Amino acid sequence: MYMGSRFPQLIKNLRRKSVEGVSVYTFMLIVVGNSLYGTSVVLGEHGDPYQYYVRAIPWLVGSFVMVLMDFMMFAQFWKYKYRKRQVISLEVDGRPLLEEPEIN
């Protein structure tokens, strides 16, 4: 479930062509946390290394796949960094749609 949590945000950003409302600093902290967690699993081997790593595969995959998805988010931050959301214009042919009548 945790591994699937990034897909909706990645897809939403692609459709909107914007990362508005998403904090790059949060994802920096998440990458650090997932990287440190994965590293601790790799370095935490006790006893038979083969048995340990076979049992640790789900945690390693979960940690490092999430880091990969977070780097996909960073790519979106970089791609959409300067893109602003388009403002819907309330004008037609240079005139406002809601125009107050002139009183003479």
Side-chain angles (χ1 to χ4, degrees):
M1 185 162 155
Y2 179 63
M3 287 178 56
S5 66
R6 298 288 188 278
F7 288 116
Q9 186 66 52
L10 289 167
I11 292 168
K12 182 177 182 179
N13 294 344
L14 282 172
R15 287 183 179 155
R16 290 187 313 164
K17 299 197 183 323
S18 170
V19 288
E20 185 178 336
V22 182
S23 172
V24 69
Y25 301 112
T26 299
F27 279 92
M28 286 179 184
L29 292 173
I30 290 170
V31 166
V32 169
N34 281 329
S35 299
L36 289 174
Y37 176 74
T39 303
S40 73
V41 172
V42 168
L43 298 177
E45 180 261 316
H46 301 287
D48 181 23
Y50 178 76
Q51 287 287 330
Y52 175 79
Y53 289 118
V54 167
R55 285 195 337 254
I57 285 174
W59 291 282
L60 291 171
V61 169
S63 175
F64 291 118
V65 167
M66 292 308 293
V67 169
L68 177 66
M69 284 198 233
D70 291 334
F71 277 108
M72 293 168 69
M73 282 294 297
F74 286 130
Q76 287 184 339
F77 279 115
W78 181 74
K79 182 177 180 180
Y80 303 129
K81 181 179 178 180
Y82 297 108
R83 189 179 295 236
K84 302 286 183 193
R85 295 189 91 184
Q86 293 181 352
V87 177
I88 299 172
S89 176
L90 294 176
E91 295 182 357
V92 174
D93 299 327
R95 297 175 306 170
L97 287 176
L98 300 173
E99 194 172 274
E100 291 187 31
E102 292 181 28
I103 301 175
N104 293 332

